[in-house]
Amino acid sequence: MKKLAALAAVFMLVMVIGCGNNNNNNGAAANQNGANANIDSNANGNADQPTDAVTSASVVDNEANFKKAISKEGTWIIATLKDLTFSEDLVLDGQFTNKDKPARKIALYSQDADHNITASFTLTAPKITIKSENARIQGGTFVGDVYVEAKGFQVVNATIQGNVYFASDEFQSTYSAADQGKVTGVTEVQK
């Protein structure tokens, strides 16, 4: 069973990174162009001296690894292999890039070689706060409320079973629900 899980994780990683469209032959880099992630190295949250680091995808099948992957020290793509449930609030934090643009993705699905979704997963938590610019929840279901504190949040081919609250009008104005993205509750500014 462990070999099957490892094989599924490797397959998912290859699929998430675009079937190796980068120049890295080992398949470990998630960023198709090998772009650098800007991670805030200052513990108090000041972005005085960002550190450049190459990021890779995190393919996770447990809550501890998921929490690490969504942190400032995590990765730009967090891909789940099963349903995950948390009793505490979550925070997607840190600034990462893909194709030289800010990006962050929580991928709640697995896919085949033709990029068709083969399985969708559910992430459950009382609340998730989105602090990463251009973050998206894609391909599955998040059960709980989403608090958006960054520009460019997207729900792509996914469902939010809860509300989406924005910290400002600016953050709401850059929000998108595309390709069958939907929210069952309200989407509103809550200051």
Side-chain angles (χ1 to χ4, degrees):
M1 188 66 175
K2 287 183 180 180
K3 286 183 181 181
L4 180 60
L7 181 60
V10 170
F11 178 74
M12 180 67 180
L13 178 62
V14 170
M15 298 313 306
V16 169
I17 63 173
C19 297
N21 285 338
N22 63 16
N23 293 327
N24 184 348
N25 291 330
N26 69 10
N31 191 314
Q32 293 177 349
N33 291 331
N36 290 334
N38 295 317
I39 301 172
D40 182 358
S41 61
N42 194 339
N44 67 10
N46 292 333
D48 296 337
Q49 303 218 346
T51 303
D52 288 337
V54 175
T55 63
S56 60
S58 280
V59 180
V60 298
D61 65 355
N62 65 65
E63 286 77 4
N65 288 341
F66 183 85
K67 283 181 68 174
K68 182 178 178 182
I70 65 172
S71 74
K72 285 183 179 182
E73 292 77 31
T75 56
W76 86 272
I77 296 177
I78 305 94
T80 61
L81 293 174
K82 66 177 195 169
D83 296 343
L84 298 174
T85 300
F86 296 86
S87 58
E88 74 270 15
D89 296 344
L90 301 173
V91 178
L92 180 69
D93 202 359
Q95 299 305 317
F96 296 81
T97 58
N98 177 40
K99 299 180 183 178
D100 298 324
K101 295 180 183 176
R104 203 80 192 269
K105 178 173 27 174
I106 297 175
L108 301 175
Y109 63 94
S110 58
Q111 62 186 6
D112 64 18
D114 295 322
H115 303 285
N116 298 309
I117 292 177
T118 57
S120 292
F121 306 109
T122 300
L123 173 63
T124 303
K127 153 181 163 178
I128 187 168
T129 302
I130 306 295
K131 294 186 175 188
S132 298
E133 188 175 350
N134 295 334
R136 65 172 50 187
I137 295 176
Q138 184 169 339
T141 301
F142 176 73
V143 178
D145 291 334
V146 179
Y147 289 77
V148 180
E149 298 178 3
K151 293 188 280 185
F153 176 65
Q154 300 174 53
V155 180
V156 180
N157 195 18
T159 299
I160 306 295
Q161 288 183 359
N163 303 306
V164 177
Y165 298 111
F166 300 90
S168 72
D169 293 326
E170 176 188 17
F171 299 152
Q172 185 178 27
S173 72
T174 61
Y175 162 73
S176 171
D179 188 25
Q180 301 176 23
K182 76 178 191 181
V183 176
T184 63
V186 300
T187 55
E188 64 186 18
V189 174
Q190 185 179 62
K191 296 180 183 177

